[in-house]
Amino acid sequence: MTRLVLASGSPRRAALLEILGLQFEIAAADIDETRRPGEHPNGYVERLAREKAEASAAADAVVIGADTAVVHEGDVLGKPAHPAEARAMLSRLSGDVHHVVTGLAAVSFGDGELVVESVVESARVRMATLTQEEIAAYVATGEPLDKAGAYALQGRGGTLVEAIEGHPSTVIGLPLPAVVRLLSRHGIRLG
């Protein structure tokens, strides 16, 4: 039987994959996530998703890798290094539209060769207009400090979002419709 492996230590990605009712293992991939000079955000997240999946590849497994970025006016907003950076990011996103792009890759071995497929899913997010007090209160929760763009849609940060065009799981970090399609192509289907 083919094992399913999630090449991510993200509890959010694991929770999303659990929704599908599949048994899986976690093998977080340790790769260099530095963005290359001039690298387009879509290319960046797709490359990282592929590298994560390939780093955990095994002969008896289908491995899923993913990476997510928040993009505002062409700039990639990563995870804030400290509360002041989180406040600055949220101030920048306040009352405006940004995009969240998630690269997704699936790898498995077929006829002794590594088969790699990847896609990039995108969602358009409109953030509410936030006061500095609202931003400070949210940052004080600690939630934004390990989240790209300094907010968590699946947490309290979801109250800061007015609208989403695209699948919410793309914003959280594992676009489920794309996961189902890629897994099916690698021989894993939902029960």
Side-chain angles (χ1 to χ4, degrees), residues 22-46:
L22 298 169
Q23 297 295 315
F24 63 95
E25 303 166 25
I26 294 175
D30 184 23
I31 64 163
D32 179 2
E33 296 191 22
T34 305
R35 188 169 168 219
R36 295 175 180 159
E39 190 171 28
H40 188 276
N42 287 17
Y44 171 60
V45 296
E46 187 171 19

Side-chain angles (χ1 to χ4, degrees), residues 100-118:
V100 178
V101 292
T102 295
L104 178 68
V107 304
S108 63
F109 282 89
D111 296 326
E113 299 284 325
L114 188 63
V115 177
V116 183
E117 291 185 274
S118 58

Side-chain angles (χ1 to χ4, degrees), residues 4 6 29 34 38 42 45 49 58 64 68 76 79 93 114 123 148 175 178-179 188-189:
L4 176 59
L6 177 62
T34 305
N42 287 17
V45 296
I64 293 287
T68 301
V76 173
K79 296 175 182 177
L93 297 176
L114 188 63
V179 169
I188 295 179
R189 289 171 178 74

Side-chain angles (χ1 to χ4, degrees), residues 43-98:
Y44 171 60
V45 296
E46 187 171 19
R47 176 179 61 83
L48 292 183
R50 291 172 74 99
E51 288 179 5
K52 289 175 183 180
E54 290 170 359
S56 298
D60 63 341
V62 174
V63 181
I64 293 287
D67 196 78
T68 301
V70 171
V71 183
H72 183 253
E73 296 177 350
D75 295 328
V76 173
L77 305 183
K79 296 175 182 177
H82 45 74
E85 188 175 14
R87 286 190 296 275
M89 283 184 191
L90 291 166
S91 294
R92 178 179 177 165
L93 297 176
S94 174
D96 205 355
V97 170
H98 63 276

